[in-house]
Each structure stands twice: as structure tokens, then as C-alpha cells.
Amino acid sequence: MADAERVQKVLARAGFGSRRAAEELVRDGRVSIDGQPARLGDRVDPAVAHVSVDGVPVPTAPDLVHYLLHKPDRVVTTAADPQGRRTVVDLVPAEPRVFPVGRLDYDTSGLLVLTNDGQLAQLLTHPRHGVPKTYLAEVAGAPSRAALHQLRAGVVLDDGPTAPAKVRQVGARGDATALEITIHEGRNRQVRRMCEAVGHPVTRLVRTRVGPVRDERLRPGEWRPLTGAETRALYESASQAVAPVTPAPERGN
């Protein structure tokens, strides 16, 4: 393997501390290579090897990038748009080429991960993992306790009942109420349809968290690279989460 490197060097580059710290992980039996326990001195090709720590995959390919974007509204969550509208890919560096993980609909703003890491994208979007996503929804009117309970317990939509959600009221202004809603599914326009089903249509929707990752400082249209710790946290969240039900693949909110 001409491009092989010692596994502790690969782990250190992936953000697991110094090489000495990575060596300790190997000694403690917490590292595996292609499903087999790693040993000190093992060499791997980071472009093709499957390395895990505590059963959680580690991104090792040298050309991987992970971006966190605050998607503005009126921007399309695709790599290209036949109607010529601005896309999320237009807002981040052109090289290396990345793609959005999941969707936010045209009128929804908030946090979105873009990457060329296919393994992470698959983990985050696969229905069985049910990685939680949190939204700030401004809705019309003042939801009653019964309406909030219905949102938490599950709402019957035309494609079936939703899974239980975390919902709390975080503010009110005039004839509008702000709700923080965390869901584990990714149905098309799910949060909007849930709120409309209980009689309180959404007037503004912002995604504030993807799994364990949030950033209140990013303004609409701004992006930044994810830190190594954030990328690992996303892998851990996707590897450990189990969806309450089996929803359809994420299509936007």
C-alpha cells in the first residue's frame, strides 16, 4: 500500500488528539480497521480503509470537507436548479464539489450540512437512524395545551401519523407564537404540516440544530467548516440514534 499510513497518524489527523492519544485508543482496544481490532503499527490506506472508534466510523479520506451553512430562505436545496434559482451549493466553495445532506424547503432557512463525505450523508439521512433536527417555528395564534400535546404525541397527516416530537413554547408576540420543535423524521414539509394540522400555520421556520450541531452566530448565507469534534459528534449521533418509527427519507421542512 503505497499510500498507507500508521493508524494512529490517521486518527490524529481526524481530530482524535495527538498521536500519543491515538495510540492509547488503539492500546485500549477501541479502534477497528475494516471490522478487525487495530494494533499499534497497523498501516491503512486512508482513501479506502474503514476505521472506527468505539464502533463509530471515522472519516479518513484526505480530501473530505464538511461545511455548516445557514441557508437563507428563497434558496433551493439542490446542486443545480433548472429554473435558474440560487442553490445552496452556490453559497459554498466550488471545489471540492459538495452536496447538501437532507433538505430545507425554499421558504425555510437555517442550518444545513454540505459535504463530499458520502458515508456521513448516508448515516444522517437514512430513516432508521432518526437524527434529531430542531426548528424554531413562528406560528399564527396561540396554541392551546391540547394543541401542544397533540404535536408532542403525534399528528395524523395524509401520509400517516408523525412520531412523537419535542415541543415547547419559547415566546409570543402579538398574534404569533414561537415554538421550538424537535423531530426525528424527514417527511416533506413536516413541521409546517404538523402545525397546520393543529390549526396554527407556520409563518416563519428556521432550523436551529442538526443532531448535536448548532451555531447561533452564523447569519443567513454564511458558512464555515465543521470542526473535527462536530463531525465526530454527527457520526456518533447518527450511529447511536434509532428512529421511533420508519419515516420516509428526508425531503424538507
Side-chain angles (χ1 to χ4, degrees), residues 223-248:
W223 67 275
R224 64 168 176 82
L226 287 171
T227 66
E230 288 172 328
T231 302
R232 290 198 304 276
L234 284 173
Y235 265 99
E236 291 171 0
S237 177
S239 299
Q240 297 169 4
V242 178
V245 297
T246 304

Side-chain angles (χ1 to χ4, degrees), residues 139-178:
V139 302
S144 64
R145 289 186 179 180
L148 294 176
H149 174 77
Q150 190 175 0
L151 289 172
R152 294 177 182 127
V155 179
V156 177
L157 303 177
D158 55 7
D159 53 354
T162 63
K166 293 182 180 179
V167 181
R168 67 186 184 99
Q169 182 173 325
V170 294
R173 182 180 60 186
D175 59 353
T177 302

